Amino acid sequence: MAIAILFLLAIAMAAFWAAGVYLFPFRDCRKCGGTGRKTSKLNHSHYKLCTRCAATGRVQRPGARRLHRAALSARGPAARLRQEARSQRAAERSGAPAPVRPGYRSRSH
């Protein structure tokens, strides 16, 4: 009886961990403390950009990528087609020039 309770408790803890990783896949970078830059030990006004997080201050939590890929692969084929169409429309929009706003004059004139 006690083993069954421990097993159910372990499954519940794993489910909570997976939900947390799925909802919050990024955490603060430990190398820079979430600032995106690393200060010099001798002079604190000098700094360089963090190489671990590419100066974003955020890194993926362990298991986040695998969990998201598993969730995407579990979706049905209709959802995959919708996602591909959405991605294709976004790619087409990114290549198009920005619309000209009325009353806007470019600086090149």
Side-chain angles (χ1 to χ4, degrees):
M1 182 69 176
I3 294 176
I5 292 173
L6 286 176
F7 181 71
L8 291 176
L9 186 62
I11 288 177
M13 288 174 57
F16 279 118
W17 174 82
V21 168
Y22 187 79
L23 293 174
F24 306 104
F26 293 97
R27 64 171 170 82
D28 287 342
C29 176
R30 289 184 184 169
K31 186 174 182 180
C32 64
T35 61
R37 54 188 190 176
K38 188 93 168 109
T39 58
S40 171
K41 291 183 180 180
L42 298 176
N43 188 352
H44 289 289
S45 63
H46 292 177
Y47 66 90
K48 63 180 180 175
L49 298 179
C50 181
T51 56
R52 175 175 285 176
C53 64
T56 61
R58 312 290 284 168
V59 292
Q60 275 193 332
R61 291 173 63 184
R65 184 173 295 160
R66 180 173 289 162
L67 187 65
H68 278 90
R69 285 184 181 168
L72 287 175
S73 67
R75 294 181 350 174
R80 284 192 208 118
L81 290 174
R82 282 193 308 268
Q83 178 64 37
E84 289 173 7
R86 196 176 307 133
S87 297
Q88 187 176 13
R89 285 192 307 265
E92 290 170 358
R93 280 194 308 265
S94 67
V100 177
R101 291 179 270 167
Y104 176 75
R105 186 174 56 197
S106 67
R107 294 183 182 198
S108 62
H109 293 299

